Amino acid sequence: MKVTIDGQTIEVPEGTTILQAARMIVDNKEYAGDNIAPPTMCYYSKLKTSGGYCRSCLVKVNKGSEKDPRPMPKLVASCRTTVMDGMEVMNTTSPEVIEVRKGVVEFLLINHPLDCPICDQAGECHLQDLSYEHGLAKTRYDFKRRTFNLIDIGPYIKLHMTRCIMCFRCIKVADQLTDNRHQGMLFRGDVSEISTYISKAIDNDFSGNMIDVCPVGALTDRTWRFKSRVWFTKPMDAHRNCTKCAGKAHVWFKGDDILRVTGRKNKWREVEDWICNECRFEKKYVTDWVIEGPTHIDRHSVISANHYENLTSLKLDIAKQQKKLNKK
Amino acid sequence: MGKKLLLEHINVPGIETLEVYRQKGGYASVEKALKTMTPNDVVEEVKKSGLRGRGGAGFPTGMKWSFLFKPEGVERYLVCNADESEPGTFKDRFLMEHIPHSLIEGMITSSFALGAKTSYIYIRGEYFYVARILEKAIDEAYAAGLLGKNILGTDFSHDCYVQVGGGAYICGEETALLESLEGKRGNPRIKPPFPAIAGLYGCPTVVNNVETIATVCPIINMGGEEYAKIGIGRSTGTKLISASGHINKPGVYEIELGLPVEEFIYSEEYCGGIINGNKLKAVVAGGSSVPVLPAHLILKTEKGEPRLMSYESLSEGGFVSGSLIGSGGFIVYDETTSIVKNLYTFARFYHHESCGQCSPCREGTGWMEKILHRIVEGHGKPSDIDLLWDIQRKIEGNTICPLGDAAAWPVAAAIRHFRAEFEEYINHPEKIKDVKHYYSVNAISA
Amino acid sequence: MSKEIKFNEETLALIHKIMARYPEGKHKSALLPILHIAQAEFDGWLSPATMDYVASILKIQSIEVYEVASFYSMYNLKPVGKCLLEVCRTSSCWVRGAEDVVKHLEKRLGIKEGETTADGMFTIKTVECLGSCGSAPMLQCGASYHENLTLEKVDTLIEGYRTEGKRKSYTDLDYKNTL
């Protein structure tokens, strides 16, 4: 099936969503320039039935298919819409999409506390990035923002509901990765909350993955909370022999100490393999891990600022430049 | 007197019982369909009738039925949407309470057409007492061999159950209703797949409104073509209208589609005019979601033609000067009404009823309510009107289900037609400070 | 007040009858009706213990019950008075004096909307459209719709309930109380 997104055409198998097709274009073509893949706050390819809620990936379909070329009357969620042969989609080339996306960002932010200076997620927060790339410079919301109390979900996870944007990813982790789901969505509308109702400990080997899937700082790792800003730590690819999971992780160093362990994330910031709670929360010694080397960090990320992988390449760049200059 | 198909026998004593209902010709459509027609014949008659969904969206029922996926060996379901919650609408309650068998009869005939062995009537929880009336009617139908195994000695067997909801407007959205019927939160599903392919328990399902299903009976009895002669143009048949607000005779009226709006409001047969002989200010013609129209646009279209009670005429002019027939929730406001305060009650409603799944509706409905509350309290800012306009525009069309649109349209229409009133609230809050803008309860009822 | 959270045989039979309405393995469908029954049986509200008990009957996780009970407006997650007076306040009721009804109730019962009288008899709650727009203003108490209210009717109603002294539930059989 052929689909064209912002003028880039790709052949994809039947059943592919617009979002997946857009990501394929980026993956295949080393596409330079504006990101052709719509932003996602709730979709997560490894979680079944995820997506459709946040509306930040809405795109315009200006040609439905070769057979039925009519445009779709409304913007569609690219994460939940499958492509038809000959479909033409507009993402960042549509002013309407850009305008609506601004609206979505504003809606997601009106009740968000904007407490980034004290939030562990700052620096790797999807909402920060989304606001920066697609939002308005200032808010028009001048009412009190909703707040919730902090909850400890067991010894390892802190729930900061005030920051939650209700992407449902953590509930899907609880549903799909663990046996007995204790945590879910309570109440409705803008007072909905993720909760266990009676603060039940989430006692399962894979519960920690809900921290990795959380796009904001609503679920944080209690063994890492307030230890460091993320951009002062250096991630390394590492592995260990684990009987419960694949044991492949990113370990985050500050000096010689491992401050936290997370799943390995790909360029779409989704984990490659789920990791178990033992690897995540209890293996914090260098001797626990076989270090493979520095993790590749996108140069746009604040984390790359003092990351030596980039410093190394920067040094090489400088060396190259100097050589060129010397030649002249 | 206009044609009456659903409420013809409304005043017959005992019409809620099976005995009297059958004396008045009840269950004839079941006899006719099961004994002399094939399921496909029934679908064809409904198609010919031009019947459009009476729940609000107005989608052709016959077409909806023909979309039903029919794989071998997979159960199919008919689900009746009796979750009537659209402000201004109470016709389904009236029909179920007074002539419960008309719905049960429609359920059997429609299920036969669709090949559904089981059907459910999902009724809003607040209508608990009506659920009991329906259950009693169902018991009577079982006892008379109209439900259960081999109905009326034919091969067709069918079971029908009533399910009560728990209090949530959103369950009137068909996929939220199915979720709720499965014992879950009433969160609308992301479509596709549509219920016709994967509905209740993942099986092909048709969801129809109470009035729609009840109307199948007269259609089968008189034939689709005869039915299509009633009404006007593509608005065939009769429709139940729930009339409320500042009128002398609030209540449920069955009208032939095409009746002039002016006649509906002022004639003694229907609303009986405005209370105290006051002037008409505005009308919400099809339940709270549809755009409010000022008096001059509800009585006549922009072109100056009389506005009729029909799908086409009420939407004439689009949202610029028209509205929608919606669910038939006809709310009349007289000259004393504050459109701004009234809009605030709608905004509060949608905020309360948003399920919270998708961000524009979850956050936007609450924001609009807060702004309107500020305006009503006399603390509005001059920029609030444009802000409201922009928020509704960013909700509309961008949500998972139509609740977003339903919350956005009334705001847009009120600003479109009554902007000056908003400005008055914002610029001269002292003028509205002590005005009640509603009738004291004893002023009308006395 | 607190009795053991357990349905009697008769109620259990009813619950199993309700569960049988749904196909094999789809018994979770019975959750909403069972919660109504549980609320009526156990003091008019759903405590965590009651919800856990319902979960055990349906063999589902407790969280699945909490999620549902907290979504719908008819389930009380906190104790309420014996008579929960639910006054509709949406458009059609508002234009015909719903605010007067609420103010009158507040004055008469000496409590604010959302509060319960000290004797545990009445709770005032404002609700959104109950589908009684043509007979506005109205209030619901238990299964009963009280329509075309006047302040006098409200007084009579309150007196009647006070004399009766009984808890009113949605599941009550005396289905319609027309004043």
Side-chain angles (χ1 to χ4, degrees):
Chain A
M1 286 199 166
K2 225 181 234 170
V3 57
T4 306
I5 304 171
D6 283 353
Q8 304 272 324
T9 304
I10 190 171
E11 193 82 36
V12 295
E14 202 177 326
T16 308
T17 61
I18 296 173
L19 181 82
Q20 285 163 343
R23 287 184 173 183
M24 284 178 195
I25 292 174
V26 178
D27 285 342
N28 289 355
K29 290 198 171 173
E30 286 295 314
Y31 177 79
D34 286 329
N35 199 345
I36 213 164
T40 51
M41 297 300 287
C42 64
Y43 171 77
Y44 209 83
S45 67
K46 286 174 185 64
L47 296 171
K48 275 179 282 183
T49 71
S50 68
Y53 310 120
C54 73
R55 318 307 280 174
S56 53
C57 75
L58 291 179
V59 292
K60 187 172 175 63
V61 176
N62 54 346
K63 182 180 168 189
S65 68
E66 211 55 69
K67 245 193 204 159
D68 182 1
R70 288 177 301 173
M72 291 191 182
K74 291 179 181 180
L75 301 187
V76 298
S78 58
C79 63
R80 295 293 283 256
T81 310
T82 48
V83 301
M84 304 295 276
D85 195 32
M87 186 184 262
E88 283 176 24
V89 180
M90 291 167 91
N91 177 30
T92 53
T93 49
S94 159
E96 189 188 349
V97 168
I98 290 171
E99 192 59 22
V100 166
R101 207 166 276 163
K102 269 186 204 156
V104 170
V105 176
E106 190 172 28
F107 288 134
L108 288 175
L109 287 175
I110 61 170
N111 274 303
H112 192 76
L114 298 174
D115 58 345
C116 312
I118 55 153
C119 177
D120 281 311
Q121 191 85 357
E124 53 181 8
C125 173
H126 297 15
L127 187 58
Q128 279 185 330
D129 296 346
L130 184 82
S131 320
Y132 183 74
E133 286 161 26
H134 305 280
L136 296 165
K138 60 175 194 175
T139 182
R140 299 179 291 175
Y141 187 78
D142 50 5
F143 297 94
K144 214 178 140 214
R145 287 159 198 259
R146 66 167 171 259
T147 53
F148 297 90
N149 293 330
L150 290 176
I151 297 175
D152 287 330
I153 307 181
Y156 295 129
I157 305 172
K158 181 77 102 184
L159 170 62
H160 203 310
M161 186 58 212
T162 307
R163 294 174 184 153
C164 177
I165 58 155
M166 282 179 243
C167 70
F168 293 83
R169 284 178 184 172
C170 60
I171 294 179
K172 297 197 193 278
V173 165
D175 222 15
Q176 294 167 26
L177 259 61
T178 68
D179 299 331
N180 295 321
R181 180 160 72 95
H182 292 306
Q183 153 258 33
M185 185 66 86
L186 299 179
F187 305 102
R188 76 176 182 214
D190 64 3
V191 293
S192 307
E193 58 178 299
I194 307 285
S195 188
T196 60
Y197 199 72
I198 34 176
S199 276
K200 216 176 237 172
I202 292 183
D203 177 23
N204 185 287
D205 278 338
F206 284 84
S207 62
N209 289 294
M210 61 178 72
I211 299 169
D212 276 350
V213 300
C214 182
V216 293
L219 290 163
T220 52
D221 177 346
R222 290 183 67 193
T223 69
W224 141 262
R225 261 170 83 79
F226 302 139
K227 290 267 169 68
S228 170
R229 302 307 326 213
V230 63
W231 54 86
F232 295 136
T233 64
K234 292 166 186 166
M236 294 281 195
D237 290 355
H239 66 266
R240 60 180 289 271
N241 273 330
C242 178
T243 50
K244 293 173 192 156
C245 69
K248 287 181 180 167
H250 287 156
V251 294
W252 300 72
F253 279 90
K254 189 170 188 179
D256 295 335
D257 298 324
I258 295 177
L259 293 192
R260 71 166 175 165
V261 178
T262 66
R264 286 191 193 181
K265 294 189 180 179
N266 62 20
K267 79 192 295 179
W268 306 112
R269 303 198 287 191
E270 292 182 4
V271 296
E272 285 165 0
D273 289 297
W274 305 115
I275 61 169
C276 69
N277 284 3
E278 191 184 331
C279 288
R280 183 187 304 272
F281 300 117
E282 284 162 24
K283 300 294 171 190
K284 299 284 181 79
Y285 293 109
V286 181
T287 48
D288 290 329
W289 296 92
V290 179
I291 308 292
E292 296 167 17
T295 299
H296 172 72
I297 296 286
D298 188 279
R299 70 181 173 83
H300 295 294
S301 165
V302 65
I303 302 169
S304 74
N306 63 352
H307 192 42
Y308 67 80
E309 183 214 28
N310 294 58
L311 285 180
T312 319
S313 60
L314 190 64
K315 274 179 196 161
L316 287 174
D317 278 354
I318 294 169
K320 259 187 216 164
Q321 291 295 328
Q322 279 173 337
K323 257 185 196 171
K324 273 186 199 169
L325 287 172
N326 287 343
K327 270 182 189 171
K328 281 178 186 172
Chain B
M1 289 289 279
K3 189 98 184 155
K4 302 276 182 284
L5 299 175
L6 295 173
L7 302 184
E8 193 184 349
H9 304 297
I10 188 73
N11 293 321
V12 176
I15 192 68
E16 71 280 4
T17 63
L18 182 72
E19 197 192 340
V20 177
Y21 183 72
R22 290 202 86 171
Q23 278 167 16
K24 290 288 164 193
Y27 287 97
S29 76
V30 175
E31 294 259 1
K32 186 173 176 185
L34 269 58
K35 290 184 175 167
T36 69
M37 297 168 83
T38 67
N40 209 33
D41 292 342
V42 180
V43 176
E44 284 307 312
E45 288 305 316
V46 173
K47 270 190 182 168
K48 278 187 230 162
S49 75
L51 173 66
R52 294 163 75 171
R54 300 294 194 229
F59 192 80
T61 306
M63 205 191 286
K64 191 173 189 174
W65 285 11
S66 61
F67 288 157
L68 185 69
F69 191 46
K70 294 178 178 169
E72 275 300 311
V74 179
E75 285 286 331
R76 302 192 279 275
Y77 293 101
L78 170 66
V79 176
C80 172
N81 184 345
D83 192 68
E84 181 176 60
S85 313
E86 174 88 2
T89 317
F90 47 98
K91 59 170 180 101
D92 294 339
R93 174 167 79 105
F94 185 81
L95 186 65
M96 293 185 288
E97 180 175 348
H98 297 289
I99 320 181
H101 283 286
S102 66
L103 174 59
I104 310 303
E105 180 183 350
M107 290 298 282
I108 301 166
T109 308
S110 307
S111 295
F112 172 74
L114 299 166
K117 291 194 198 86
T118 311
S119 63
Y120 296 96
I121 300 170
Y122 181 96
I123 186 166
R124 68 180 295 187
E126 292 88 345
Y127 288 179
F128 231 110
Y129 79 91
V130 186
R132 295 224 185 268
I133 294 171
L134 288 175
E135 275 176 350
K136 204 172 152 215
I138 287 174
D139 288 346
E140 284 182 309
Y142 270 104
L146 288 158
L147 274 171
K149 289 230 151 51
N150 301 105
I151 296 171
L152 299 174
T154 65
D155 288 344
F156 183 63
S157 301
H158 185 74
D159 289 306
C160 179
Y161 304 105
V162 179
Q163 162 93 313
V164 288
Y169 166 73
I170 190 60
C171 292
E173 194 278 338
E174 61 179 8
T175 59
L177 186 151
L178 295 175
E179 286 285 296
S180 185
L181 185 46
E182 291 181 9
K184 301 175 195 160
R185 295 161 64 83
N187 287 334
R189 295 176 182 167
I190 292 163
K191 286 150 279 189
F194 289 91
I197 308 293
L200 183 63
Y201 311 124
C203 300
T205 304
V206 165
V207 183
N208 280 142
N209 167 264
V210 172
E211 187 189 344
T212 312
I213 292 174
T215 303
V216 170
C217 312
I219 289 172
I220 296 310
N221 290 337
M222 66 170 56
E225 276 170 29
E226 276 306 304
Y227 181 87
K229 288 178 188 163
I230 306 165
I232 182 167
R234 286 179 56 235
S235 298
T236 61
T238 63
K239 166 111 192 72
L240 298 181
I241 302 292
S242 320
S244 68
H246 296 142
I247 43 174
N248 286 319
K249 292 168 59 194
V252 174
Y253 298 100
E254 182 170 12
I255 58 147
E256 184 171 342
L257 286 164
L259 181 81
V261 171
E262 189 160 3
E263 187 182 337
F264 183 68
I265 297 175
Y266 290 101
S267 88
E268 273 309 305
E269 194 184 339
Y270 303 107
C271 303
I274 314 291
I275 49 172
N276 300 340
N278 280 358
K279 269 205 297 212
L280 175 69
K281 180 173 186 177
V283 169
V284 165
S288 60
S289 319
V290 312
V292 63
L293 288 182
H296 69 278
L297 285 175
I298 187 69
L299 298 176
K300 287 198 163 58
T301 65
E302 184 113 72
K303 290 179 194 157
E305 289 158 2
R307 183 86 72 180
L308 309 177
M309 302 284 278
S310 74
Y311 290 90
E312 289 74 25
S313 180
L314 276 168
S315 58
E316 165 96 41
F319 279 5
V320 176
S321 66
S323 186
L324 292 166
I325 198 167
S327 60
F330 197 89
I331 317 175
V332 177
Y333 304 103
D334 77 4
E335 55 190 311
T336 67
T337 318
S338 156
I339 293 295
V340 179
K341 178 76 196 273
N342 183 59
L343 178 65
Y344 166 64
T345 76
F346 285 152
R348 183 175 59 196
F349 174 85
Y350 288 108
H351 176 211
H352 184 257
E353 301 299 341
S354 170
C355 82
Q357 259 195 138
C358 66
S359 17
C361 175
R362 179 183 65 237
E363 306 295 347
T365 52
W367 195 1
M368 293 198 298
E369 188 205 327
K370 287 191 181 95
I371 295 168
L372 280 161
H373 183 253
R374 165 161 87 193
I375 296 174
V376 165
E377 293 289 303
H379 307 298
K381 300 177 182 181
S383 58
D384 280 350
I385 304 174
D386 290 339
L387 182 55
L388 275 173
W389 182 268
D390 195 51
I391 296 170
Q392 66 81 21
R393 206 167 53 88
K394 284 188 167 140
I395 299 173
E396 191 207 346
N398 298 323
T399 52
I400 294 174
C401 82
L403 194 144
D405 299 346
W409 293 343
V411 174
I415 296 176
R416 187 181 297 121
H417 300 299
F418 297 94
R419 195 179 176 106
E421 203 173 309
F422 285 83
E423 285 163 353
E424 180 84 354
Y425 262 81
I426 291 166
N427 299 332
H428 303 287
E430 71 285 351
K431 279 196 197 162
I432 45 106
K433 210 172 133 240
D434 297 315
V435 184
K436 263 167 73 168
H437 289 306
Y438 62 82
Y439 282 83
S440 297
V441 15
N442 288 9
I444 302 173
S445 314
Chain C
M1 273 296 275
S2 70
K3 51 184 173 187
E4 197 194 351
I5 306 281
K6 202 162 183 274
F7 291 129
N8 62 29
E9 286 304 315
E10 197 187 333
T11 313
L12 272 177
L14 172 65
I15 283 170
H16 285 113
K17 200 180 136 197
I18 293 173
M19 283 162 73
R21 292 172 183 169
Y22 311 100
E24 195 73 33
K26 305 294 181 194
H27 54 272
K28 192 185 168 184
S29 278
L31 180 53
L32 272 71
I34 295 177
L35 284 175
H36 279 300
I37 294 170
Q39 178 161 290
E41 293 252 330
F42 306 117
D43 301 325
W45 72 294
L46 298 170
S47 66
T50 304
M51 291 190 280
D52 290 346
Y53 175 60
V54 170
S56 73
I57 289 178
L58 285 172
K59 299 190 178 65
I60 56 179
Q61 297 291 329
S62 292
I63 186 70
E64 296 179 67
V65 180
Y66 308 155
E67 282 183 324
V68 166
S70 64
F71 185 87
Y72 298 95
S73 61
M74 293 171 77
Y75 302 118
N76 305 311
L77 300 181
K78 288 190 181 118
V80 292
K82 284 183 177 169
C83 296
L84 178 62
L85 306 169
E86 300 181 272
V87 189
C88 173
R89 57 176 184 173
T90 319
S91 183
S92 301
C93 278
W94 171 70
V95 297
R96 293 183 80 116
E99 282 185 12
D100 288 353
V101 174
V102 177
K103 277 183 205 147
H104 185 72
L105 280 171
E106 288 181 336
K107 201 170 131 207
R108 206 190 143 85
L109 299 173
I111 52 171
K112 290 273 161 218
E113 187 259 312
E115 293 175 350
T116 303
T117 51
D119 60 359
M121 193 61 215
F122 296 103
T123 302
I124 307 173
K125 183 181 178 188
T126 50
V127 297
E128 302 301 338
C129 189
L130 294 181
S132 185
C133 325
S135 26
M138 65 84 67
L139 71 81
Q140 177 171 23
C141 181
S144 308
Y145 269 42
H146 301 283
E147 305 176 312
N148 295 311
L149 291 176
T150 59
L151 300 185
E152 294 71 41
K153 274 190 189 176
V154 172
D155 287 341
T156 319
L157 193 65
I158 297 294
E159 278 319 306
Y161 279 141
R162 208 193 292 280
T163 318
E164 209 184 342
K166 269 201 202 143
R167 180 171 291 288
K168 294 288 167 191
S169 302
Y170 298 119
T171 53
D172 287 346
L173 273 170
D174 51 337
Y175 65 84
K176 204 177 181 198
N177 182 356
T178 38
L179 264 166

